[in-house]
Amino acid sequence: MPPTPQRRRLARGLAAGAAVLATAAGVTLTTTAPPAGADSGRAHHPAGTVDVQLLSFNDFHGNLEPPQGSSGTVEELQADGTKKTVPAGGVEYLAQSLRTARKGHPYSVTAAAGDMIGASPLLSGLFHDEPTIEAMNKLGLDVTSVGNHEFDEGRTELTRMQRGGCHPKDGCYEKGKTFKGADFPYLAANVTDDRTGKPILKPYTVWQHKGVKIGFIGVTLKGTPDIVNADGVKGLTFHGEVETINKYAKILDRQGVKAIVALIHEGGLPASTSYNANCDSPGPGAGISGPIVDIAKHVSPTVDALVTGHTHQSYTCTIPDPAGHPRTVTSAASYGRLYTDTTLTYDRRTHDIVRTAVHGPHAANHVVDRTQPKAADMTSLIARWNKLAAPVADKPVGYISADINGRGAGTPEEPLGDVIADAQLAATQDTGKGGAQLALMNPGGIRSDLAYKASGTEGDGVVTYAEAFTVQPFTNMTNVVDLTGAQLLTALQQQVSGPNEASPKILQISRGLTYTLDMTKTGAARVVADSVKLDGAALDPAKTYRVAMNEFLAGGGDGFPALKQGTNKYVGPSDLDALTAYLTAHSSPSSPLSPPKADRITVVK
């Protein structure tokens, strides 16, 4: 059945077997990608070829409604060198953008690079992300890799997202309706079951249309177990991205599928924060760093393009493959604010993507702007789920005098991070409730900002339960544990050393804890040891302190093994309940909460 503009079908990939030992065919042609923002279409291409449009995005995280605050904008570089902030995102606009982009393209496939669900706002998260899967079905997603957040609720729930069925505890949400699951395959090539040794979901799939075949291999980052709760990945092994992609590239090649795209939930950090900046200036891949660079340099040349994610950054870069030839590596920020349009020229004779200096994959990121018409079916979907969520979502839980920035702060210490740490301390500091003396919060668990502007009809400055849920969607339980001063100092040093040295994870800290972070130094030395104080007193290495944090951090998550050494554990309320209780207790319509100064960590640059 030929594809339609709204819903293309993916051919079922053959079941994965053992790695094929034959050498994969090497690509000897080259490709050149233009600067981001360049036209993805071309007027001339070789005889016997067709242009395949690859539309892609990543890290949607259930953002069905336009995200609030900085999470709902992108930075656009202007011709005169200035930068403009553009509102973006929302599934009504994402669906419309993709449908518009497909017009005039008989060969079009839509793919994603993981984290479609998990860490979602209340509209999706309250219903275990069923609304997002339904939306992805409607907008025509053909295939996605899994990401780390697909494992937030464990393997069984991820399998339900794929296959359908009502939630085992919460049941069905709409009378007479059973969740049907994803129409598209979730690919998990590098995630295997410890009992069987086989991938837990399909490792690859093949998209076909009128004789054109393109294979998709999907992987998540190998380090997924380090950044999700242990229960979510129990009994699973996460293999290396490169070795897995190369293994299945050989299998696809032996099956006669020569055109291959890798969907990788791992990414990079571009030099520019503007979505349309030229990543390849002054040279190929010069404007990007991070894990994806090394991955791209080692993935087999038989793979023609890499669609990436995880870092929530935007880029269309050219990074040389192992044969030394340029290859397109893309990412479309997050939350549905951008989509990438890549043109792959398919040669019907070789069944491969043409990769030459003149005819290579052309990729550009495009804004999902909110000035275009809304997709009516998505408006209807949002209204339907909002009606179910309203009794919980619309309840006011606090009041603020201005934006309190979290994820969008762009600084090591975030104002909203201070609020969350203070909230966890307040919830657990009483003797009978844990006796906490300080609290720590991981920055990755702060998913948004608290915006002053109303998201609905509640009025400016009102924080609703839904808005608080968007900030703290995991509902991790707070833990209070005993840590020595020496262990606490080691934890602070782990923010900027070991696995976190290249990309520091600065813990958000409660009032009373202060220290200096010297970024001119390297590794653990960045934390000035004798500057660490609690309520003005120097940290005593031999003294025991009661420290509050969420259960993910208490388990050593995000590269903090020192925190796993905590003893005498007390389990308090969820992080979300702690935040809402704090907002309610510390604000009112006449006395709203003001953004903290975020001056607990002194940063030396």
Side-chain angles (χ1 to χ4, degrees), residues 434 479-484 487 544-547 549 554 562-571:
N479 287 183
V480 185
V481 298
D482 285 347
L483 287 171
T484 65
Q487 290 170 328
T544 296
Y545 297 87
R546 294 289 285 165
V547 184
M549 66 194 85
L563 298 179
K564 197 174 182 178
Q565 298 171 9
T567 58
N568 192 22
K569 182 171 72 174
Y570 171 87
V571 179

Side-chain angles (χ1 to χ4, degrees), residues 30-317:
T30 61
T31 176
T32 301
D39 186 359
S40 63
R42 284 167 289 124
H44 306 288
H45 33 284
T49 65
V50 294
D51 280 350
V52 178
Q53 179 190 58
L54 171 61
L55 301 176
S56 58
F57 58 100
N58 50 276
D59 296 274
F60 184 72
H61 290 291
N63 278 264
L64 298 172
E65 296 177 299
Q68 278 199 292
S70 62
S71 296
T73 64
V74 292
E75 184 181 276
E76 185 176 78
L77 188 63
Q78 304 298 296
D80 62 1
T82 60
K83 296 175 181 179
K84 178 182 178 182
T85 299
V86 182
V91 78
E92 295 161 297
Y93 303 108
L94 177 61
Q96 186 69 20
S97 292
L98 295 175
R99 289 164 183 170
T100 301
R102 290 174 191 141
K103 292 178 180 177
H105 294 274
Y107 298 86
S108 184
V109 57
T110 302
D115 277 7
M116 295 298 97
I117 59 174
S120 303
L122 184 134
L123 179 59
S124 186
L126 187 64
F127 305 106
H128 298 279
D129 281 311
E130 289 182 21
T132 292
I133 297 298
E134 181 185 347
M136 294 298 109
N137 288 344
K138 287 179 179 292
L139 65 71
L141 182 60
D142 286 314
V143 58
T144 184
S145 67
V146 294
N148 55 287
H149 282 285
E150 264 80 19
F151 293 90
D152 283 350
E153 294 189 50
R155 172 188 179 175
T156 301
E157 179 65 1
L158 172 57
T159 302
R160 187 179 77 90
M161 291 292 102
Q162 179 71 85
R163 299 177 182 173
C166 296
H167 191 270
K169 290 184 179 178
D170 294 341
C172 300
Y173 296 111
E174 295 179 285
K175 188 175 181 180
K177 288 187 179 181
T178 299
F179 175 59
K180 68 174 185 175
D183 289 346
F184 51 90
Y186 260 112
L187 303 182
N190 68 329
V191 187
T192 58
D193 184 304
D194 288 348
R195 285 187 306 104
T196 66
K198 295 180 180 179
I200 62 168
L201 294 170
K202 287 164 64 77
Y204 64 87
T205 195
V206 181
W207 177 85
Q208 298 187 68
H209 180 47
K210 294 184 179 179
V212 173
K213 293 182 181 181
I214 298 180
F216 288 88
I217 302 166
V219 299
T220 185
L221 70 155
K222 182 181 180 180
T224 291
D226 300 326
I227 53 176
V228 300
N229 274 320
D231 287 347
V233 294
K234 190 175 181 180
L236 304 178
T237 295
F238 291 75
H239 302 271
E241 303 93 344
V242 172
E243 66 186 72
T244 303
I245 293 169
N246 290 351
K247 168 184 174 179
Y248 288 106
K250 286 183 179 181
I251 292 173
L252 284 166
D253 186 72
R254 284 293 294 265
Q255 292 176 6
V257 180
K258 308 294 184 181
I260 303 172
V261 175
L263 307 175
I264 309 172
H265 191 70
E266 179 60 290
L269 301 169
S272 173
T273 52
S274 300
Y275 81 88
N276 58 336
N278 184 358
C279 183
D280 295 335
S281 178
I288 189 172
S289 60
I292 199 60
V293 177
D294 190 57
I295 291 172
K297 288 179 178 178
H298 291 89
V299 164
S300 168
T302 57
V303 176
D304 297 295
L306 310 183
V307 176
T308 73
H310 186 56
T311 58
H312 291 206
Q313 303 298 309
S314 58
Y315 47 83
T316 57
C317 301

Side-chain angles (χ1 to χ4, degrees), residues 421-462:
D422 288 349
Q424 293 186 14
L425 177 61
T428 58
Q429 64 186 354
D430 288 352
T431 304
K433 295 182 178 179
Q437 296 166 273
L438 66 133
L440 306 172
M441 176 62 196
N442 57 309
I446 304 170
R447 304 305 300 184
S448 186
D449 306 331
L450 281 181
Y452 177 79
K453 184 177 175 58
S455 59
T457 59
E458 74 277 11
D460 292 345
V462 180

Side-chain angles (χ1 to χ4, degrees), residues 337-357:
R337 293 174 291 163
L338 299 174
Y339 71 91
T340 310
D341 190 334
T342 303
T343 301
L344 304 172
T345 298
Y346 184 91
D347 189 325
R348 290 189 179 277
R349 181 181 59 84
T350 63
H351 309 294
D352 205 349
I353 302 303
V354 177
R355 297 174 68 196
T356 70

Side-chain angles (χ1 to χ4, degrees), residues 68-71 398-411 413-422 446-453 461-463 467-468 471 508 579 582-583 586-587 591-598 600:
Q68 278 199 292
S70 62
S71 296
Y399 303 85
I400 57 177
S401 63
D403 289 353
I404 303 181
N405 289 328
R407 203 167 186 85
T411 53
E413 183 182 353
E414 305 166 0
L416 187 51
D418 286 358
V419 171
I420 291 170
D422 288 349
I446 304 170
R447 304 305 300 184
S448 186
D449 306 331
L450 281 181
Y452 177 79
K453 184 177 175 58
V462 180
V463 180
E467 290 166 345
V471 170
Q508 307 300 290
L579 176 60
Y582 183 85
L583 291 171
H586 291 80
S587 69
S591 182
L593 183 69
S594 297
K597 293 180 180 179
R600 299 167 189 180

